[in-house]
Amino acid sequence: MKKYRKVLFLLFALVISIILLAGCNLKEEESEEDSLHLYSKGIDENGFWKGIKALDYIKDFEYEGIAIPSEVYEVTEERLQYQIDTLMSGYIARNKITDRAIADGDTVNIDYEGKVDGVVFEGGSTMEVGVDVIIGKTNDERDAQDTLSFLDGFLEELIGHMPGETMNIEVTFPDDYYEEQLRGKTAVFTTTINYIVEREELTDAFVAEHLSESDGWTTIEEMREGMRAQIQKNLVQQYIMQYLATKVSVKSVPDSLIKYQEKILLNDYRELAEYNGIELEEYLKTVEGFSDIEECMKEAQDSLIENATYTLAVQAVAEDVGISVTDEDIENYFSEHLWSSDVSTQTDYYGLPYVKQGVLGQKVVDYIAENAKLE
């Protein structure tokens, strides 16, 4: 099970996760003011790396008219239906059912806190905000960008239980789990069932009433085609992000980019350690599975190179094409993906240069996608 602890961008989520998947080396004496805009250090006012011309580091680079294999952007009926269910849960009047037991197929609002060896692990808690889950949906049916991913059997444990109940659900992470430090470990999730969500029937009238103004859809068929196109767009963009991270050859990687990513992750680890009420060193050992910072750095090397390659490739395209980020671009991005043009919370925490770098990355991906060839 995983839920991203910090979500700043949606389509740009891969960029954020890439930057946070680095290593660990931040000085203890760094002041609170320094760490406040840690994310923006080394980034100029345009969202570019300070003092770095990315094109000078690119060895072999093709981005115009890249081919996207058909299997990449195929939208299955299961994935489409899951997105429809998710959309519906956000628009319907939330009738909270508390007087019957949970059945297969129900949408249920829950809170949970997962611990491994008695310590809350990253992504293991809803932070008491409550999340909707669909009982019976498997991980394969969840969209690749979905922030929730549940281990097989977890949700089924809720069947037959009543809203208001709190229960411990014990699960074992598989040996091939994508987060290495959790492979084979047993976690206990203290789970509270808040209520069952009663779902309104999906009809043409519902679509016309709720989705015509925001999305231009007036019938179920228009909604299905519109959502299918959006899912396909997201899948293409994910492919392009991965392409930029892994298929672009560089002559060398600036050391400053690696150091930047090291500092970012250590800052993230420190916040997680503070949340769990333990020291950083203990957190790295008991939760992340590293014997020390040196081992953490060694394990992170491949990711560091991939991360740096991605940021260089994004900036190289921007340099080559002349892509830049305006205040209007930022407002439009946040309005579209965070439903608010107010970016003050993000800029106060991350700093404007970091936010601009994120929006720059999205503009580059959009540009490449517009010129890509769908096979």
Side-chain angles (χ1 to χ4, degrees):
M1 173 180 294
K2 181 172 182 179
K3 181 177 185 293
Y4 286 111
R5 189 177 57 86
K6 293 179 181 176
V7 178
L8 174 58
F9 301 120
L10 298 182
L11 296 182
F12 191 60
L14 178 60
V15 180
I16 299 240
S17 62
I18 280 175
I19 291 176
L20 293 179
L21 284 174
C24 330
N25 187 20
L26 183 65
K27 294 181 179 179
E28 291 287 348
E29 64 269 19
E30 190 163 47
S31 69
E32 181 178 352
E33 179 62 24
D34 285 338
S35 64
L36 181 63
H37 293 297
L38 176 65
Y39 292 85
S40 286
K41 285 191 172 183
I43 305 172
D44 67 20
E45 66 276 7
N46 298 311
F48 285 35
W49 293 113
K50 289 181 179 179
I52 292 177
K53 184 178 180 181
L55 285 170
D56 291 342
Y57 292 88
I58 301 299
K59 182 180 179 181
D60 183 20
F61 191 29
E62 295 181 7
Y63 62 88
E64 295 280 7
I66 65 173
I68 311 293
S70 59
E71 61 268 20
V72 167
Y73 56 86
E74 179 185 2
V75 181
T76 65
E77 282 301 311
E78 291 79 10
R79 175 169 287 177
L80 177 61
Q81 188 58 51
Y82 176 74
Q83 289 301 307
I84 291 174
D85 291 341
T86 301
L87 180 69
M88 286 286 290
S89 68
Y91 277 93
I92 63 175
R94 298 180 65 82
N95 297 322
K96 302 178 181 180
I97 307 301
T98 59
D99 60 355
R100 70 168 177 83
I102 294 171
D104 191 19
D106 281 340
T107 297
V108 183
N109 185 274
I110 63 172
D111 279 298
Y112 58 80
E113 183 177 68
K115 295 182 179 180
V116 173
D117 298 327
V119 178
V120 177
F121 59 90
E122 181 182 3
S125 173
T126 60
M127 306 294 185
E128 299 183 351
V129 298
V131 295
D132 288 350
V133 296
I134 303 173
I135 308 301
K137 290 289 184 183
T138 67
N139 290 333
D140 290 340
E141 294 170 340
R142 299 180 185 278
D143 185 84
Q145 293 198 68
D146 201 31
T147 56
L148 292 175
S149 179
F150 295 92
L151 294 175
D152 291 342
F154 178 87
L155 296 179
E156 285 70 17
E157 288 288 328
L158 302 177
I159 295 175
H161 290 272
M162 295 286 295
E165 286 189 44
T166 296
M167 53 192 294
N168 287 333
I169 300 177
E170 185 175 297
V171 296
T172 300
F173 290 93
D175 293 336
D176 60 350
Y177 194 65
Y178 65 92
E179 291 204 14
E180 186 175 352
Q181 65 272 18
L182 293 176
R183 291 175 183 173
K185 290 193 175 182
T186 297
V188 176
F189 290 91
T190 301
T191 305
T192 298
I193 303 169
N194 297 322
Y195 52 86
I196 300 169
V197 182
E198 187 177 74
R199 307 179 70 83
E200 185 173 340
E201 183 182 358
L202 178 61
T203 63
D204 287 346
F206 174 91
V207 174
E209 178 182 355
H210 295 279
L211 304 176
S212 60
E213 182 176 349
S214 60
D215 299 284
W217 304 328
T218 59
T219 66
I220 294 176
E221 186 58 30
E222 289 178 357
M223 181 197 71
R224 287 177 61 85
E225 290 308 307
M227 293 189 70
R228 186 185 298 276
Q230 184 59 57
I231 296 171
Q232 183 182 88
K233 177 181 177 181
N234 293 349
L235 292 172
V236 168
Q237 291 192 340
Q238 290 172 34
Y239 177 86
I240 291 171
M241 290 177 180
Q242 191 64 23
Y243 173 87
L244 293 176
T246 61
K247 303 299 183 182
V248 177
S249 298
V250 296
K251 299 174 184 176
S252 62
V253 178
D255 186 63
S256 60
L257 268 62
I258 297 178
K259 294 298 183 184
Y260 170 89
Q261 295 170 62
E262 292 173 356
K263 291 180 180 180
I264 292 298
L265 189 61
L266 186 57
N267 182 69
D268 197 53
Y269 280 160
R270 279 189 172 146
E271 291 183 356
L272 287 167
E274 289 176 5
Y275 174 77
N276 282 286
I278 59 178
E279 296 296 324
L280 173 63
E281 291 76 11
E282 182 181 353
Y283 177 85
L284 289 175
K285 290 180 180 179
T286 59
V287 180
E288 301 297 336
F290 298 117
S291 59
D292 51 31
I293 290 179
E294 183 178 355
E295 182 184 1
C296 173
M297 290 296 299
K298 183 178 179 181
E299 291 291 329
Q301 283 308 299
D302 289 344
S303 293
L304 291 175
I305 295 172
E306 187 173 301
N307 301 348
T309 300
Y310 180 86
T311 59
L312 281 174
V314 164
Q315 184 169 317
V317 175
E319 292 172 357
D320 200 36
V321 179
I323 298 175
S324 60
V325 175
T326 66
D327 291 341
E328 184 179 2
D329 289 330
I330 297 174
E331 291 180 3
N332 289 341
Y333 183 87
F334 277 76
S335 294
E336 180 179 356
H337 300 297
L338 295 181
W339 306 285
S340 172
S341 60
D342 182 7
V343 301
S344 58
T345 300
Q346 285 76 17
T347 55
D348 286 347
Y349 183 80
Y350 295 99
L352 184 58
Y354 178 80
V355 172
K356 278 194 172 184
Q357 189 181 65
V359 178
L360 180 71
Q362 186 61 59
K363 289 191 70 174
V364 166
V365 171
D366 287 341
Y367 175 83
I368 296 175
E370 289 169 3
N371 295 279
K373 298 176 180 178
L374 301 184
E375 294 183 340

